[in-house]
Amino acid sequence: MKYFVASGEDRKLTADSRKALRGSFIELSDGVTHYELAGPEDGDVVLMAGGLTIPLFYWDGLVGELHARGLRTLTCSAYGRGYSDRVQAPYDETLFTRQLAELTDRLGLTTRPLHLVGTSMGALVSMTYAAQYRSSLSTLTIVGPAGLAKPQLTSPNRLLRSDLLAGVVARRRGLQLLQGHLGHNVRDPELGATLTEMVLDSLRFEGSLYAVFDTLQHLPFTGRDDLFRRTGALGIPTLLLWGNADNVTPLAHFDTARALLKPQKHHVIDECGHMAPYERPRDVAEQLVSFVSARTERLDS
């Protein structure tokens, strides 16, 4: 799909414009990455990989809960999201995995094993990362993962296979489609409104819709059972979390995920939609910290 700037994308990401924006910035091989490294300096680092549209602000609630429990956090906006560069390259798992690997390396975080958390699309990126950097991970947490639906004729990758069609859909109806998608993510209307405002604000930067729709072209969201199965065979201590009212990646896939990932621990969060770290940060933090602590205690004993 040819790069384009959509109607309503009235802001540019430059060195000067970033001076007024929240977060830190680092130049990696594919472009500038927007990140935040925060929390107790002596705490284990939790690295987070997010979904299709979200900037790093999505993690704020969970980040605060983890800091209060002694963990350090590294969040970043994937390329094309938040204040990271809109790169002109295939938006696939290879790109996003390389971004995480380069970021942790440049920040000097490779000397101690990390705790990786991936949600939705970020779960697919996290599993790809785990396969390539197995020794760098202490634990893996998968939350409401994409990838277990069966491929359909209406799957985004099939519908958008044509660059011409993808470009037309993205330009003409892209923003409307994304707003509809965001409306299904959370149960609480107030949280949903805040989420929509957060995402739409970052979509005002040039190249944002291009990035999202190029991702839909190049990163398969269905039929990924083999990726789950390979991840389960890696032997990484894994925690699986899911919202019981998830309308995007339905709980119907929970048993399949358990069978393939073979997690040491699994938990369904009540009254929670697709975005558990955003909707129920305290519940996710309690599950994650309990899991990480048990793992640490076993290593220390």
Side-chain angles (χ1 to χ4, degrees):
M1 181 168 58
K2 186 178 179 181
Y3 178 83
F4 64 87
V5 175
S7 174
E9 294 181 351
D10 55 1
R11 300 162 75 182
K12 292 185 178 182
L13 285 166
T14 65
D16 284 339
S17 69
R18 284 187 170 107
K19 291 176 183 177
L21 299 175
R22 166 186 154 180
S24 300
F25 302 92
I26 189 169
E27 179 86 44
L28 304 178
S29 65
D30 294 289
V32 173
T33 287
H34 172 220
Y35 76 93
E36 289 184 347
L37 176 62
E41 292 195 6
D42 60 347
D44 283 358
V45 175
V46 181
L47 171 64
M48 306 187 199
L52 177 66
T53 60
I54 59 171
L56 62 78
F57 320 124
Y58 164 90
W59 299 102
D60 284 357
L62 179 59
V63 160
E65 295 287 347
L66 294 179
H67 292 172
R69 291 164 172 79
L71 291 172
R72 194 160 171 77
T73 58
L74 174 58
T75 56
C76 70
S77 298
Y79 290 122
R81 286 82 182 157
Y83 306 147
S84 290
D85 273 351
R86 277 62 175 149
V87 301
Q88 297 186 44
Y91 282 82
D92 56 16
E93 290 154 72
T94 300
L95 175 71
F96 298 129
T97 297
R98 184 165 60 242
Q99 182 184 24
L100 294 179
E102 291 183 357
L103 180 61
T104 53
D105 181 58
R106 289 285 300 278
L107 295 178
L109 300 177
T110 56
T111 57
R112 293 171 59 186
L114 301 165
H115 303 283
L116 179 57
V117 178
T119 180
S120 195
M121 179 190 87
L124 302 177
V125 175
S126 295
M127 288 186 274
T128 304
Y129 182 98
Q132 294 184 35
Y133 303 98
R134 165 68 185 88
S135 62
S136 74
L137 296 183
S138 179
T139 67
L140 175 65
T141 298
I142 299 297
V143 189
L148 291 175
K150 301 303 179 187
Q152 306 287 333
L153 291 175
T154 55
S155 297
N157 302 83
R158 294 187 178 186
L159 287 175
L160 301 176
R161 192 169 291 166
S162 161
D163 284 349
L164 179 61
L165 177 60
V168 170
V169 170
R171 285 182 179 88
R172 294 184 179 177
R173 297 198 59 219
L175 196 57
Q176 179 185 350
L177 290 171
L178 289 182
Q179 285 180 283
H181 170 73
L182 290 170
H184 295 295
N185 278 296
V186 298
R187 295 179 74 253
D188 185 320
E190 288 188 18
L191 281 176
T194 303
L195 172 72
T196 299
E197 182 180 359
M198 176 201 306
V199 173
L200 292 182
D201 183 65
S202 67
L203 289 176
R204 289 179 60 188
F205 291 98
E206 291 185 357
S208 297
L209 282 178
Y210 162 79
V212 171
F213 279 82
D214 195 85
T215 305
L216 291 173
Q217 271 196 306
H218 291 106
L219 201 162
F221 282 76
T222 60
R224 306 305 304 274
D225 293 40
D226 283 347
L227 176 61
F228 281 75
R229 187 177 294 106
R230 290 195 301 271
T231 304
L234 292 174
I236 301 171
T238 300
L239 168 65
L240 177 65
L241 301 176
W242 219 299
N244 71 332
D246 190 332
N247 291 323
V248 178
T249 55
L251 189 61
H253 300 303
F254 182 69
D255 288 343
T256 301
R258 281 184 58 193
L260 297 173
L261 283 176
K262 298 179 174 61
Q264 276 70 26
K265 186 178 179 183
H266 55 83
H267 180 72
V268 175
I269 301 173
D270 290 334
E271 298 181 4
C272 180
H274 180 55
M275 293 187 162
Y278 174 75
E279 296 176 74
R280 303 289 292 275
R282 180 171 296 178
D283 294 270
V284 172
E286 289 174 353
Q287 292 293 326
L288 178 59
V289 171
S290 172
F291 184 68
V292 165
S293 298
R295 170 66 178 167
T296 304
E297 289 169 5
R298 281 198 296 271
L299 290 176
D300 292 342
S301 62

